[in-house]
Amino acid sequence: MFSKVIDMNIFFECRKCRSRFSTEFLRCPICGGLLTANYDNLSWKPLNLNSIWRYSCLLPRNRTTIVTLGEGMTPIVEANNLAKVLGVKKLYIKDETRNPTGSFVDRGISVVVNNIEEDTKEIVCSTRGDTGASLAVYSARIKLKARIYVPRDVDLGKLYIMLLSGADVRIVPDFLTATYLAETESMQTKVVMETLPSYIEGLKTISFEIFEQLNMNIPDIIIVPVGSGALISAIWKGFEELRKLNLLDNTPRLVGVQVEGADPITMLFNRMKLEKMSAKTLARDTELFIPGLAETALEAVRRSGGVMISVSNTEIPRYIELLARTEGIIAEPSAVLSIIAISRILNSFIDADSEVLAVITGSGLRTPDVLRNLLPIEDMLRKVSEDIPRLATSRLGETKIQILTILKHKPLHGYGIKKELANRYNKNLSTATIYQHLRELENMGLVSRTRKVGKRGKVLYMVNN
């Protein structure tokens, strides 16, 4: 299944044999290489739109009416609090958690959906989570049937998005199986993968936004989490197009980040022998290797004068919490790799005066299982329990507060509390009313009863610690 693009200014070129096509294919029909989108005449004519379609003149599109959920135009945050903690002079965050499904992937899927034939009825993809969630939502918008193959360890939050959007979700043993099953349908159905040129084109709009949002300037260094390599390749492509348009003299240095044990592109960058990746990390989205995209990622990093590094999986929880507490951004594990990297390369690659931008690729609100492990349920309940007296007090009436004040000094029985209320506060209540208040305070866990030693054995009430 293929898409022929309306705009004849755009063509698709095989990176391997350099054949050119007016139609987008999953792979080159001649040699099997990956395709890239190119333009006969690059032009910079941003529209007055609050989405990636502001850059329509540099995006492929087949549909007459643009399908958008408001993807893109995400804010750049001046992360001053985090910069102080990390020891960086100037730190920006490109906050991709603000996209419709909470991920940068929405940019690519928006262009993919807009570049398919309008009479297409069905679309297929394999996913570790993000791509499937995004495709399900955009497909629902145009009543397109989406069949999505996912591995068993998919993040539940992303799986819920797919199911709620009405996608036909097929759970398979692993991502390799998911990819195989999706590709077997490519002759009959449009298959979405990160290798699609239209997908890469959507991602490159991050570069255009950085350029405009920083008043046509660029940071010295941009740090990007790397899985397949699609995002860092697209960011480089975007800046290269701006340079060819004579809007930039220089491009930023790109730093790609992976997790140790699941870092094939870092190993290739360092010219190390590539071994089978067996590590299971918190950053599940980065645990995939697509050789063709790995090559473009390496080219992007090297041509920019950048570097690929790997960080420890054990550091992820601490930096998720640090980002949340300093800048109020809840990031998923793979997204926070760009923050961890700053500490790793400070002084060795980041100079004291460098301006750094970290791309936060996805929201942690879609990975509740990870957040739950950061703050185990036992700790959370303990913390909430400790706050119950304070929270309950804020909902107490005047009489109950007065009773607690009286009991704070010494335990008393009901009649003694009645007398103290009359003496201290000139409040005359019936005994039945006093005991009703005491029962309610007991239910709140604020007071408890004990029996006084003696013949009569009166019940005394005391404030709980």
Side-chain angles (χ1 to χ4, degrees), residues 192-224:
V192 177
M193 293 188 138
E194 294 186 25
T195 54
L196 273 178
S198 54
Y199 178 79
I200 301 293
E201 292 302 281
L203 302 188
K204 77 179 182 185
T205 57
I206 290 180
S207 305
F208 300 159
E209 290 175 20
I210 292 171
F211 173 69
E212 286 201 288
Q213 289 170 332
L214 294 181
N215 298 315
M216 299 192 175
N217 292 305
I218 56 168
D220 301 303
I221 297 168
I222 295 180
I223 308 179
V224 186

Side-chain angles (χ1 to χ4, degrees), residues 41-55:
N41 296 294
L42 286 173
S43 61
W44 180 250
K45 299 174 183 177
L47 304 176
N48 187 26
L49 296 174
N50 195 36
S51 75
I52 64 169
W53 295 100
R54 174 179 176 79
Y55 311 110

Side-chain angles (χ1 to χ4, degrees), residues 50-51 69-78 93-107 138 209 213 327-331 335 359-366:
N50 195 36
S51 75
L69 294 173
E71 60 288 330
M73 299 310 293
T74 56
I76 289 181
V77 178
E78 290 193 43
I93 286 175
K94 183 63 169 163
D95 187 5
E96 290 295 288
T97 70
R98 310 289 189 93
N99 279 301
T101 70
S103 170
F104 75 96
V105 169
D106 293 334
R107 296 172 181 270
Y138 280 86
E209 290 175 20
Q213 289 170 332
E327 302 299 338
I329 298 173
I330 312 300
V359 180
I360 301 299
T361 50
S363 172
L365 299 179
R366 304 169 310 146

